[in-house]
Amino acid sequence: MPARQPRRRPQRPAAAPHPAVGTELELEVTGVAHGGVMVARHEGRVVFVADAIPGERVRARVTEAKKSFWRADTVEVLEASPHRREHVWAEASVTRDPEGRAGGAEFGHIELAHQRELKRQVATDALTRMAGIDPGTDFAVQALPGDDERHGTGWRTRVRLQVAADGTVGPFAARSHTVIPVSSLPLAAEAIAEIAPLATRFGDAASVDLIAPSQGRPLSIVTTRDGAVPSLAPIVEKVGDREFALDALGFWQVHREAAATLTAAVQRAVDADEFDPRAANLDLYGGVGLLAAAVGDRFGQATRITSVESYEPATDFAARNLSDWVGARAITARVERFVQRLADDATAVERGRQRAATVVLDPPRSGAGKAVVDELVRTAPAQLVYVACDPVAFARDAALFGEAGYGIRSLEAFDLFPNTHHVELVARLSR
């Protein structure tokens, strides 16, 4: 009897071999990916392309070649999208060599309305793919006041410039620590542009922070290479009729209209029928109290709310900024530890107050994460209002909340960072 021949497995098409970094490819750009890059394919391999637009044909230079994907920078646009425009920042233009392009305005070559459409696509894809949630046809990324008229420029109230070893000041190049000298800062507010030391050579400096608070004069703060910063008085930011004190280098929303926009969005998101002013209401990752104040201003001085923040100086300012509400307090703690203690140590009465609570959370770009979500679910709040600066991180957390029965009941998106890939979401979740 002849020997049995081994079964041959069907051969998969071979992926394109790894090119040398610096190789130039002609690519058809087909879509947008999270992180400000576009998607193309080369002989079966996914290529993430910077400075392109879906629908374009470009020549791009490979900057990274991994087994699962490549990265490349556009060096020439062969067939342009109708949505392409002259870059708002000359020093970031595709006409410059990629290594010499200023970072921080990666969508500046795209018409503003189409930028928002691409951000909508990224958020929709993340929510659909990761959380099984379809935001619907009405879902759109909303512009902030004045941005369309300014073509998405002049909105940044905080800018950090880096200082090179030779004292040159400027932004980093994209995905690099190379300092790029520039002659302008088009995304910066006018007050910052006026004081920007772009032609100055610095000695023992690591960075220069330029800050234009809504109250008072703009500031220029130099951080030395050993991390030393000058002693500074607190600054004041005004949102509507309310003032917030904070450290000059403390966190505050960067867009001149962002704090007011998020205040209104959070106030809209909270379901008044589910809100109990006497419950154990929370403002997690609370900073200096902006969103706790938004809740308090909507529901009155009797509102009880605890703002939790790990950075103690911010908590001290939050206590001052929330002093209008007798039931408001500010606690310095890591959020994951705070919510774990909350769930572990609650009495029967406290559990009832937790179940009636509204929880506002504004986590960092990485999201709240499983540990925080699991502990919040244990307290079973009536509703959560989630402010997210990263749609993928939010989608991951929304999926975790969804497993516990918390669905998205309202969702808004805002273009808080025009001419960049970033987008802000505000969602309400409840059972």
Side-chain angles (χ1 to χ4, degrees):
M1 178 180 292
R4 186 175 180 180
Q5 296 298 313
R7 179 181 295 177
R8 293 184 178 179
R9 294 182 179 179
Q11 296 294 312
R12 293 181 179 178
H18 284 209
V21 170
T23 301
E24 293 188 357
L25 309 171
E26 190 172 307
L27 300 169
E28 301 284 345
V29 182
T30 57
V32 59
H34 178 57
V37 292
M38 306 303 159
V39 180
R41 288 185 179 273
H42 178 71
E43 299 180 2
R45 181 82 64 185
V46 172
V47 186
F48 295 119
V49 189
D51 300 316
I53 306 174
E56 290 188 329
R57 187 166 61 90
V58 301
R59 187 166 55 86
R61 184 179 301 155
V62 176
T63 59
E64 184 178 4
K66 293 189 174 183
K67 185 175 181 180
S68 55
F69 66 87
W70 300 342
R71 292 188 183 276
D73 290 329
T74 299
V75 294
E76 183 182 3
V77 179
L78 304 174
E79 293 180 9
S81 164
H83 303 294
R84 179 172 284 274
R85 65 176 180 181
E86 185 176 347
H87 205 292
V88 296
W89 197 359
E91 287 93 345
S93 171
V94 73
T95 59
R96 292 170 65 105
D97 187 88
E99 294 183 357
R101 294 174 195 166
E106 62 277 7
F107 274 12
H109 61 290
I110 308 172
E111 290 178 349
L112 205 54
H114 196 60
Q115 291 182 31
R116 295 195 284 266
E117 168 58 19
L118 295 176
K119 296 178 188 187
R120 184 199 66 80
Q121 292 177 22
V122 169
T124 297
D125 174 72
L127 289 167
T128 304
R129 179 169 44 84
M130 303 177 71
I133 297 165
D134 181 0
T137 56
D138 294 337
F139 178 61
V141 177
Q142 303 172 47
L144 270 61
D147 281 346
D148 282 339
E149 292 80 359
R150 298 184 182 92
H151 306 290
T153 63
W155 53 268
R156 289 196 70 104
T157 62
R158 273 103 176 126
V159 171
R160 172 166 289 181
L161 300 173
Q162 308 297 331
V163 181
D166 65 357
T168 302
V169 66
F172 282 143
R175 298 176 299 281
S176 166
H177 286 88
T178 301
V179 175
I180 304 298
V182 296
S183 60
S184 64
L185 298 171
L187 303 193
E190 184 177 349
I192 284 180
E194 289 176 353
I195 66 167
L198 300 180
T200 303
R201 290 273 181 149
F202 287 83
D204 183 32
S207 62
V208 182
D209 285 276
L210 307 174
I211 301 164
S214 58
Q215 306 294 296
R217 301 178 64 178
L219 304 173
S220 177
I221 304 169
V222 177
T223 300
T224 62
R225 296 196 180 279
D226 61 4
V229 296
S231 179
L232 299 162
I235 62 172
V236 175
E237 295 284 0
K238 193 170 184 179
V239 182
D241 295 328
R242 184 168 296 284
E243 292 185 343
F244 295 85
L246 65 151
D247 276 335
L249 289 175
F251 174 78
W252 188 254
Q253 293 292 336
V254 173
H255 194 294
R256 65 181 186 283
E257 297 288 345
T261 297
L262 293 179
T263 292
V266 166
Q267 290 173 337
R268 285 193 301 272
V270 176
D271 184 345
D273 292 338
E274 295 286 343
F275 186 81
D276 181 351
R278 300 163 297 177
N281 302 304
L282 297 174
D283 170 31
L284 303 180
Y285 313 94
V288 298
L290 173 69
L291 300 183
V295 175
D297 276 337
R298 181 177 176 193
F299 293 101
Q301 291 188 341
T303 300
R304 300 183 65 171
I305 190 164
T306 298
S307 184
V308 183
E309 166 62 49
S310 62
Y311 183 55
E312 186 172 5
T315 307
D316 293 341
F317 282 111
R320 184 193 313 181
N321 296 332
L322 299 174
S323 60
D324 283 1
W325 295 277
V326 175
R329 60 178 182 152
I331 292 177
T332 304
R334 292 183 64 86
V335 167
E336 58 269 29
R337 295 175 184 170
F338 175 84
V339 293
Q340 182 180 17
R341 290 196 302 268
L342 207 65
D344 286 345
D345 301 340
T347 65
V349 172
E350 288 168 339
R351 288 193 186 96
R353 293 182 60 239
Q354 290 171 5
R355 287 192 295 270
T358 293
V359 176
V360 178
L361 62 161
D362 183 9
R365 197 168 301 283
S366 57
K370 182 173 173 52
V372 171
V373 171
D374 286 349
E375 298 302 333
L376 281 176
V377 166
R378 286 177 62 200
T379 69
Q383 61 184 330
L384 303 110
V385 175
Y386 193 130
V387 179
C389 58
D390 186 284
V392 170
F394 171 67
R396 285 195 298 263
D397 288 346
L400 294 172
F401 279 120
E403 291 171 2
Y406 283 89
I408 295 179
R409 310 305 175 197
S410 69
L411 178 66
E412 291 190 280
F414 301 96
D415 195 10
L416 263 56
F417 311 92
N419 291 308
T420 81
H421 74 275
H422 299 292
V423 62
E424 197 91 359
L425 304 178
V426 178
R428 181 174 69 86
L429 301 93
S430 67
R431 283 175 163 155

